[in-house]
Amino acid sequence: MHVSKWGNCLAIRLPKALVEDLGLKPGDELEIVSASTKRITIAKDERRALAVERMRARAWSIPHGYAFDRNEANAR
Protein backbone atom coordinates (compact mmCIF):
# COMPACT_ATOMS: atom_id res chain seq x y z
CA MET A 1 0.00 0.00 0.00
CA HIS A 2 1.10 3.53 -0.69
CA VAL A 3 0.75 6.41 1.79
CA SER A 4 -0.55 9.64 0.22
CA LYS A 5 -1.03 13.14 1.54
CA TRP A 6 -4.63 14.42 1.45
CA GLY A 7 -4.76 17.99 2.73
CA ASN A 8 -3.19 17.93 6.21
CA CYS A 9 -3.71 14.18 6.59
CA LEU A 10 -2.04 11.00 5.43
CA ALA A 11 -4.16 8.31 3.79
CA ILE A 12 -3.82 4.85 2.31
CA ARG A 13 -5.79 3.10 -0.39
CA LEU A 14 -7.13 -0.28 0.63
CA PRO A 15 -6.63 -3.18 -1.77
CA LYS A 16 -9.79 -4.48 -3.41
CA ALA A 17 -9.34 -7.92 -1.80
CA LEU A 18 -9.30 -6.38 1.69
CA VAL A 19 -12.34 -4.21 0.92
CA GLU A 20 -14.22 -7.29 -0.25
CA ASP A 21 -13.07 -9.45 2.70
CA LEU A 22 -14.27 -6.84 5.21
CA GLY A 23 -17.41 -5.99 3.20
CA LEU A 24 -16.50 -2.29 3.21
CA LYS A 25 -18.39 0.46 1.45
CA PRO A 26 -17.98 4.26 1.42
CA GLY A 27 -18.84 5.73 4.81
CA ASP A 28 -17.92 2.62 6.82
CA GLU A 29 -15.69 3.15 9.83
CA LEU A 30 -12.61 1.11 10.66
CA GLU A 31 -11.19 0.45 14.08
CA ILE A 32 -7.47 0.08 14.76
CA VAL A 33 -7.34 -3.08 16.85
CA SER A 34 -3.61 -2.99 17.54
CA ALA A 35 -0.55 -1.22 16.23
CA SER A 36 3.20 -1.59 16.46
CA THR A 37 6.08 -0.06 14.52
CA LYS A 38 5.74 -2.68 11.76
CA ARG A 39 2.07 -3.70 11.74
CA ILE A 40 -1.43 -2.26 12.07
CA THR A 41 -4.41 -4.54 12.62
CA ILE A 42 -7.80 -3.15 11.58
CA ALA A 43 -11.38 -4.35 11.80
CA LYS A 44 -14.65 -3.03 10.49
CA ASP A 45 -16.33 -1.06 13.27
CA GLU A 46 -19.70 -2.77 13.76
CA ARG A 47 -20.85 -0.80 16.84
CA ARG A 48 -23.37 1.31 14.93
CA ALA A 49 -24.95 -1.70 13.21
CA LEU A 50 -25.09 -3.58 16.53
CA ALA A 51 -26.79 -0.61 18.22
CA VAL A 52 -29.43 -0.50 15.48
CA GLU A 53 -29.99 -4.27 15.88
CA ARG A 54 -30.49 -3.81 19.64
CA MET A 55 -32.98 -1.00 19.00
CA ARG A 56 -34.92 -3.18 16.57
CA ALA A 57 -34.94 -6.06 19.07
CA ARG A 58 -36.56 -3.71 21.60
CA ALA A 59 -39.06 -2.58 18.95
CA TRP A 60 -37.73 1.00 19.02
CA SER A 61 -38.43 2.84 15.82
CA ILE A 62 -35.84 4.80 13.91
CA PRO A 63 -37.26 7.93 12.26
CA HIS A 64 -37.33 7.78 8.46
CA GLY A 65 -34.18 9.29 7.00
CA TYR A 66 -32.37 9.38 10.35
CA ALA A 67 -28.57 9.48 10.13
CA PHE A 68 -26.41 9.58 13.25
CA ASP A 69 -23.87 12.40 13.22
CA ARG A 70 -21.17 11.92 15.86
CA ASN A 71 -19.97 15.55 15.57
CA GLU A 72 -23.49 16.90 16.04
CA ALA A 73 -24.10 14.60 19.01
CA ASN A 74 -20.88 15.76 20.68
CA ALA A 75 -21.27 19.47 19.85
CA ARG A 76 -21.00 21.76 22.86
Side-chain angles (χ1 to χ4, degrees):
M1 287 189 277
H2 180 79
V3 178
S4 301
K5 185 159 177 76
W6 289 4
N8 292 329
C9 300
L10 295 178
I12 58 169
R13 285 188 174 188
L14 300 175
K16 182 178 180 182
L18 177 62
V19 170
E20 290 173 351
D21 286 349
L22 292 175
L24 297 175
K25 60 187 180 309
D28 283 346
E29 294 188 24
L30 297 177
E31 173 184 9
I32 296 177
V33 178
S34 66
S36 68
T37 57
K38 299 279 184 187
R39 181 178 303 264
I40 295 174
T41 305
I42 63 169
K44 186 175 178 182
D45 189 342
E46 300 284 356
R47 289 178 292 178
R48 186 175 298 161
L50 294 173
V52 170
E53 279 183 38
R54 287 192 299 270
M55 289 173 64
R56 286 191 178 123
R58 291 183 173 101
W60 293 353
S61 62
I62 301 172
H64 178 71
Y66 175 79
F68 177 77
D69 183 336
R70 180 183 313 262
N71 292 330
E72 180 181 322
N74 293 315
R76 295 190 171 143

